[in-house]
Amino acid sequence: MIARLPRLLVLGTGGTIAGSAQSATGGSYAAGELRLDQLLNDLSGLGLEAELVAKPIAQIGSQDMGWDVWDVLHREILAALNDSQMDGILVTHGTDTAEETAYLLDLTLPADKPVVLVGAMRPAGAVGADGMRNFANAVRVASDPDACGRGPLLVMGDAVFAAKDVRKAATSNIDAFKGYPRGPIARVTPSTLDWFGGATRVGEPARYGWPETPPRVAILTAGAGMDAKPVEALLGIGCKGIVLAGMGQGNAPGCVLDALSEAVKSGVPVVRSARVDEGLVDRNVEVDDDRYGFVAGRALGPAKARVLLMVLIANGITDATAIQAAFDRG
Ligand code: SIN
């Protein structure tokens, strides 16, 4: 039971939630322009029932998110998890790659305090800006002890998603996020929070070690009429793993599958995911994974499949059976 206000560390990275519009109705803006203290200052009149401790990490659009910022984020969150005075962690983040950051943290952090990512689809000053609402909702989630043991969460609108389910499914709709195979795991407003099930990871340690030397893993999108040259190019630049964003259930032209199979034989794991918006990619349905040596990406889309494959390779897990087990678990 927390007798004082919940104390939340707010790590700022930029994104549209820190963007400012030139005009309330114009379309153009730059992400990551507002400093974290300006953002929190704008939020100070909302009467949020939490003590917020601000720490800016970066001020970028999340298209530029990568290992340098991820390293700092991971270190800061670990420190906050070990700080008995800190009750939860909020990360302001661009929406474009929030799912990758959330899932990377999900794989590499213990699940014992709330870690909540939050973004916005409209910058401050734009008509219908959603940043303040989303942030107020995220504060409520990060303040709730029931948010522990669920891994990192993403709050967008009134929906709370688990890291491994969530993906951005629309370019500009306010309601841009979807979850698969689960939809939102809770609904939140600034004054209410309803979980749709219990936490399953209470006390769970980090699943994988932090990748000190992240391997190069590429996503190859299949297209009708393509040839195998892109596979050769990826191997030529030293890819240590390839994620196929395949057609339908993760398929590709025969010549591409053959080239990918050669990559597997040379020690480069290949994971089949789908370029389709959602659905499972299962083993040996249309593609003979046993014969080709491929891994089926199951519920993970290409972006998150790449994150998992990078983490696995960095942890020395390169055998197709072991990689498949990790993807089956998700
Ligand atoms: C970004 O991802 O940084 C830009 C888009 C957004 O935050 O919605």
Side-chain angles (χ1 to χ4, degrees):
M1 202 61 181
I2 302 169
R4 54 178 171 73
L5 281 182
R7 193 153 197 255
L8 307 177
L9 176 66
V10 185
L11 299 170
T13 72
T16 296
I17 193 166
S20 62
Q22 316 274 316
S23 118
T25 51
S28 64
Y29 72 97
E33 277 199 330
L34 288 180
R35 292 197 323 268
L36 185 60
D37 57 346
Q38 292 172 279
L39 183 67
L40 295 189
N41 192 43
D42 291 348
L43 292 157
S44 60
L46 297 184
L48 298 175
E49 290 177 357
E51 182 193 344
L52 303 179
V53 180
K55 195 153 199 181
I57 299 281
Q59 224 175 304
I60 56 174
S62 75
Q63 68 279 0
D64 289 323
M65 187 57 67
W67 290 99
D68 50 348
V69 180
W70 279 336
D71 258 328
V72 182
L73 211 43
H74 187 261
R75 202 168 46 242
E76 292 291 346
I77 295 176
L78 259 188
L81 292 177
N82 291 322
D83 178 349
S84 59
Q85 295 304 305
M86 213 52 93
D87 301 307
I89 299 103
L90 281 165
V91 181
T92 59
H93 201 293
T95 61
D96 288 352
T97 62
E99 68 200 76
E100 281 148 274
T101 299
Y103 189 50
L104 177 64
L105 297 173
D106 191 57
L107 295 170
T108 54
L109 287 172
D112 47 11
K113 280 184 193 171
V115 176
V116 179
L117 280 77
V118 61
M121 292 301 294
R122 302 278 183 276
V127 65
D130 53 334
M132 283 205 190
R133 167 79 177 202
N134 294 353
F135 193 91
N137 285 349
V139 165
R140 177 151 293 271
V141 175
S143 304
D144 186 357
D146 277 352
C148 300
R150 299 174 190 269
L153 303 167
L154 178 68
V155 171
M156 285 297 293
D158 292 354
V160 183
F161 296 96
K164 81 174 187 180
D165 302 323
V166 72
R167 72 191 186 287
K168 191 172 187 180
T171 55
S172 58
N173 302 3
I174 279 275
D175 204 4
F177 282 79
K178 282 191 191 172
Y180 183 83
R182 292 176 299 175
I185 60 166
R187 282 278 163 198
V188 59
T189 71
S191 57
T192 62
L193 173 56
D194 294 297
W195 297 100
F196 303 149
T200 55
R201 291 169 58 185
V202 176
E204 189 188 277
R207 291 179 173 176
Y208 301 102
W210 180 249
E212 297 299 340
T213 318
R216 185 192 289 272
V217 172
I219 299 172
L220 174 69
T221 303
M226 75 186 288
D227 63 19
K229 291 253 181 279
V231 180
E232 291 160 24
L234 293 181
L235 296 176
I237 57 166
C239 276
K240 299 287 183 260
I242 298 175
V243 171
L244 174 69
M247 305 140 165
Q249 293 188 40
N251 217 333
C255 61
V256 174
L257 296 180
D258 288 341
L260 289 171
S261 188
E262 290 306 312
V264 172
K265 284 183 197 141
S266 73
V268 175
V270 172
V271 175
R272 290 189 307 108
S273 64
R275 67 178 198 184
V276 180
D277 184 37
E278 73 177 32
L280 291 175
V281 172
D282 285 328
R283 285 192 71 78
N284 301 323
V285 178
E286 281 186 278
V287 176
D288 189 342
D289 293 298
D290 290 346
R291 179 163 77 86
Y292 287 115
F294 299 155
V295 171
R298 309 299 312 282
L300 295 182
K304 274 186 281 183
R306 174 173 169 266
V307 169
L308 178 54
L309 189 54
M310 283 193 284
V311 168
L312 293 172
I313 294 171
N315 279 272
I317 301 166
T318 55
D319 163 70
T321 308
I323 295 176
Q324 185 65 67
F327 274 83
D328 288 346
R329 181 179 182 185

